[in-house]
Amino acid sequence: PCPAAVIDASRCVVAVNASYLDLFGCTADKVVGNDLFELHGGCWNVKALDDLLVTAAGESSFVGSGVVEVEREDGRRRSLAV
């Protein structure tokens, strides 16, 4: 399965799957309860993702998707689909 994280309206991570933990080499207790934008060296703290999340949160039924690509501190690229 694809790595997945569930976040609430304030960007707090409420759940992640095993694929997410494997990909990022972390444990759930290091991720769950934290702001998505503060995880993994802040790699997801990008305006394009924030804009997409604000749009999704403002819709009563957000249908559609967006993908944001970022480069991690180690130079590897990651994509996040909303």
Side-chain angles (χ1 to χ4, degrees), residues 2-65:
C2 292
V6 177
I7 60 172
D8 65 15
S10 63
R11 295 190 319 249
C12 182
V13 178
V14 295
V16 292
N17 68 3
S19 293
Y20 180 99
L21 299 175
D22 289 343
L23 177 67
F24 285 98
C26 57
T27 58
D29 63 316
K30 298 290 183 190
V31 176
V32 173
N34 292 297
D35 186 317
L36 177 68
F37 283 13
E38 295 176 1
L39 297 176
H40 316 298
C43 73
W44 298 117
N45 189 1
V46 293
K47 182 168 178 12
L49 177 56
D50 190 42
D51 291 347
L52 186 59
L53 293 174
V54 166
T55 299
E59 300 287 330
S60 59
S61 58
F62 180 73
V63 178
S65 65

Side-chain angles (χ1 to χ4, degrees), residues 66-79:
V67 176
V68 175
E69 291 196 21
V70 298
E71 187 170 328
R72 291 182 39 174
E73 292 175 337
D74 60 9
R76 295 185 298 179
R77 296 196 60 77
R78 294 287 181 248
S79 298

